[in-house]
């Protein structure tokens, strides 16, 4: 919401107004390469706290920078250090909850990522809540776009202090290392050593870091699940960021809204994402009953459902994605009330949430203790591609004879191709996981 004002204040071409968003996304993608592996070496909390602490200073730099070049550089580092949270939070869910519990917990975290994430990066064109506030902040002549940074700083600083005081460590190998250290102190018996600590002692820090950092890259070209699902999510996020890059064109051009009103239209996306949460208790009860029947039939209390169970929301959401895009593109005209477009945005938000939850839940369940590295690989791919989309797709909405209608039509056609993907994973997932050296096969508990 602030990019146009930033370009005007610094006297740069309007074509560069999306550069701050793109650099943030490039930073997020490159930082994701480190987040998961580092959290699997030092624990989740040190990565969360250290990255957030550094992130706050670059948000401050974004608010005080005197030049456009400094602004763009700060945006990159804001994204780089923000990735410490985004790249590991799915792993934290895996640490704390069994399969059935994750059915409830992961959608809550996913909702925070999809709907609430931009509270920490209000200058980005990411979904969904912050642009609502950002639009009205920018439209206020007594505030202006600088206040989007100050509000971000206040929220982020408060979140950091709360995390510093109350955030526990959840990574099991690290907890076992602490327990072994505690037992050594109590008993003076040096035989109490965790496998994680032994691994750390056997190799230098540089060797450990090199091994861990190579995992996401290794996953991309050797793990069939990550490769195939990564391509799917890249295409999905290409749709998302192309859609969002033209949000102001969608509403301001056809319906003549000001910046505050345009920002408020993001509320339809947020409402759609939030409405998916209403289905979560039902999914939780369904998973609980299915697992109970499975345990009863196998007489094994450790039996759990296969990761493919996470794909069920995608079965419904996949076909609805092109419907939302076609609906929006062909009804975004002056003669049709704006409520029709808002309804399409609501459906898009709901579908996005369902596909995000099913895809990331599937990765977490498929890779277990290696979920951090797997999520890092996926996150790196989708955010680097998204950064390119933020730069390259915005002009589509302003091309004469193309505009919103045909841009959405092209996106809808791509979404039609993607619609069967959850069904393909349902059939092929067990075979792909059996070929993997890191994924949990269908025969493992």
């Amino acid at each position: 919401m602030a990019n146009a004002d930033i370009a005007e204040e610094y006297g740069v071409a309007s074509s560069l107004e999306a550069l701050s968003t793109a650099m943030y996304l490039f930073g997020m993608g490159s930082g994701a390469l480190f987040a998961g592996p580092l959290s699997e070496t030092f624990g989740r909390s040190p990565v969360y706290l250290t990255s957030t602490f550094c992130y706050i200073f670059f948000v401050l730099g974004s608010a005080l920078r005197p030049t456009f070049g400094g602004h763009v550089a700060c945006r990159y580092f804001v994204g780089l250090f923000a990735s410490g949270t985004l790249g590991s939070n799915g792993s934290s869910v895996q640490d704390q909850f069994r399969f059935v519990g994750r059915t409830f917990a992961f959608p809550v975290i996913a909702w925070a990522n999809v709907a609430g994430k931009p509270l920490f990066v209000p200058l980005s064109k990411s979904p969904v809540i912050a642009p609502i506030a950002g639009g009205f902040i920018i439209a206020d002549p007594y505030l202006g776009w600088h206040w989007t940074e100050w509000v971000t700083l206040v929220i982020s600083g408060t979140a950091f202090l709360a995390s510093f005081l109350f955030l526990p460590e959840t990574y099991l190998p690290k907890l076992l290392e602490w327990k072994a250290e505690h037992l050594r102190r109590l008993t003076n018996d040096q035989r109490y050593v965790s496998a994680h600590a032994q691994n750390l002692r056997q190799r230098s820090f540089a060797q450990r870091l090199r091994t861990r950092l190579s995992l996401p890259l290794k996953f991309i070209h050797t793990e069939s699940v990550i490769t195939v699902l990564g391509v799917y999510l890249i295409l999905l996020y290409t749709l998302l960021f192309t859609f969002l890059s033209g949000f102001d064109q969608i509403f301001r051009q056809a319906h003549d809204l000001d910046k505050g009103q345009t920002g408020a239209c993001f509320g339809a996306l947020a409402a759609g994402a939030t409405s998916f949460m209403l289905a979560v208790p039902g999914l939780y009860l369904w998973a609980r009953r299915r697992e109970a029947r499975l345990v009863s039939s196998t007489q094994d209390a450790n039996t759990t459902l296969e990761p493919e169970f996470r794909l069920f929301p995608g079965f419904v959401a996949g076909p609805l994605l092109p419907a939302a895009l076609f609906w929006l593109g062909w009804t975004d005209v002056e003669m049709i009330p704006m409520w029709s477009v808002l309804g399409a945005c609501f459906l898009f938000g709901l579908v996005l949430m369902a596909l995000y939850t099913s895809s990331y839940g599937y990765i977490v369940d498929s890779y277990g203790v290696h979920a951090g590295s797997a999520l890092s690989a996926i996150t790196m791919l989708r955010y680097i591609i998204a950064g390119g989309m933020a730069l390259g797709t915005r002009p589509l909405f302003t091309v004469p004879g193309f505009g919103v209608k045909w841009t959405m039509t092209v996106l809808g056609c791509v979404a039609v191709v993607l619609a069967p993907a959850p069904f393909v994973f349902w059939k092929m997932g067990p075979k792909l996981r059996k070929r993997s050296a890191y994924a949990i096969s269908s025969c493992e508990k």
Side-chain angles (χ1 to χ4, degrees):
M1 298 303 299
N3 286 346
D5 288 16
I6 292 173
E8 181 179 353
E9 179 169 323
Y10 287 115
V12 298
S14 59
S15 59
L16 294 178
E17 67 183 49
L19 188 59
S20 63
T21 298
M23 292 306 294
Y24 163 76
L25 295 172
F26 289 144
M28 183 73 77
S30 55
L33 177 64
F34 298 88
L38 288 176
S39 72
E40 292 172 359
T41 301
F42 301 105
R44 314 296 189 203
S45 291
V47 172
Y48 288 146
L49 295 175
T50 302
S51 62
T52 304
F53 182 76
C54 296
Y55 154 88
I56 287 173
F57 282 97
F58 284 102
V59 173
L60 179 63
S62 297
L64 299 175
R65 66 210 177 270
T67 64
F68 183 72
H71 155 69
V72 170
C74 284
R75 295 303 300 164
Y76 173 83
F77 285 104
V78 166
L80 180 71
F81 289 110
S83 66
T85 298
L86 188 66
S88 301
N89 58 23
S91 304
S92 294
V93 173
Q94 194 272 339
D95 293 340
Q96 298 175 77
F97 299 93
R98 293 183 66 252
F99 187 95
V100 174
R102 290 199 293 273
T103 306
F104 187 86
F106 190 77
V108 175
I109 299 298
W111 176 86
N113 287 342
V114 172
K117 176 181 64 179
L119 284 173
F120 300 93
V121 283
L123 294 185
S124 81
K125 287 187 174 67
S126 306
V128 164
I129 292 177
I132 300 172
F136 287 107
I137 290 174
I138 296 162
D140 190 324
Y142 298 102
L143 296 177
W145 69 264
H146 286 279
W147 270 94
T148 62
E149 300 285 11
W150 294 121
V151 171
T152 299
L153 189 64
V154 171
I155 295 173
S156 301
T158 303
F160 172 77
L161 289 176
S163 300
F164 182 79
L165 294 174
F166 302 111
L167 185 67
E169 179 58 61
T170 62
Y171 188 49
L172 181 59
K174 194 68 178 179
L175 296 176
L176 290 176
E177 179 185 340
W178 290 349
K179 183 175 182 178
E181 182 181 355
H182 178 65
L183 290 173
R184 287 197 301 271
R185 288 199 304 266
L186 288 179
T187 64
N188 202 28
D189 187 343
Q190 300 304 308
R191 292 178 298 175
Y192 289 107
V193 181
S194 72
H196 183 68
Q198 282 184 321
N199 185 43
L200 295 181
R201 292 176 182 177
Q202 291 170 358
R203 295 182 296 172
S204 67
F205 173 77
Q207 289 175 324
R208 299 195 309 267
L209 195 60
R210 185 165 56 250
T211 300
R212 287 294 186 180
L213 291 180
S214 66
L215 269 182
L217 297 176
K218 186 177 181 180
F219 277 21
I220 291 172
H221 67 83
T222 64
E223 292 295 302
S224 300
V225 174
I226 297 300
T227 303
V228 178
L229 194 58
V231 172
Y232 172 68
L233 286 172
I234 284 172
L235 292 174
L236 180 63
Y237 270 74
T238 298
L239 295 178
L240 169 63
F241 281 93
T242 303
F243 174 82
L244 293 175
S245 67
F247 211 78
D248 56 342
Q249 293 289 328
I250 292 170
F251 287 98
R252 294 177 66 183
Q253 191 175 62
H255 303 284
D256 195 28
L257 303 183
D258 61 27
K259 292 179 180 179
Q261 293 169 331
T262 301
C265 292
F266 279 86
L269 290 170
T274 303
S275 67
F276 176 79
M277 298 296 293
L278 300 177
V280 170
L283 288 173
Y284 172 79
L285 292 175
W286 186 24
R288 188 173 181 179
R289 290 167 183 166
R290 283 177 65 98
E291 186 177 72
R293 287 196 297 268
L294 186 62
V295 169
S296 177
S297 63
T298 60
Q299 300 299 311
D300 186 351
N302 294 321
T303 302
T304 60
L305 298 172
E306 293 187 355
E308 282 69 32
F309 178 83
R310 301 296 185 203
L311 298 172
F312 277 108
F315 293 169
V316 178
L320 290 177
L321 179 60
L325 296 171
F326 288 135
W327 177 5
L328 188 150
W330 287 83
T331 63
D332 187 41
V333 293
E334 293 181 11
M335 64 188 69
I336 297 178
M338 188 178 63
W339 293 109
S340 176
V341 181
L342 291 174
C345 291
F346 175 89
L347 180 60
F348 185 85
L350 189 152
V351 168
L352 173 66
M353 182 69 180
L355 293 174
Y356 182 92
T357 299
S358 61
S359 300
Y360 271 65
Y362 181 72
I363 294 172
V364 169
D365 289 341
S366 294
Y367 283 92
V369 295
H370 295 293
S373 294
L375 291 175
S376 291
I378 291 288
T379 303
M380 178 182 67
L381 286 174
R382 69 183 176 92
Y383 272 100
I384 289 177
I385 298 297
M389 291 301 101
L391 285 176
T393 59
R394 183 174 175 81
L396 290 176
F397 291 91
T398 59
V399 173
F402 206 73
V404 173
K405 179 170 71 174
W406 291 109
T407 301
M408 290 295 113
T409 300
V410 171
L411 297 183
C413 292
V414 175
V416 169
V417 177
L418 295 181
F423 299 94
V424 174
F425 277 107
W426 173 264
K427 300 294 290 186
M428 300 296 296
K431 295 179 181 179
L432 294 177
R433 286 186 286 111
K434 285 181 180 179
R435 299 174 187 172
S436 170
Y438 298 95
I440 301 172
S441 69
S442 60
C443 62
E444 291 179 296
K445 302 295 187 292

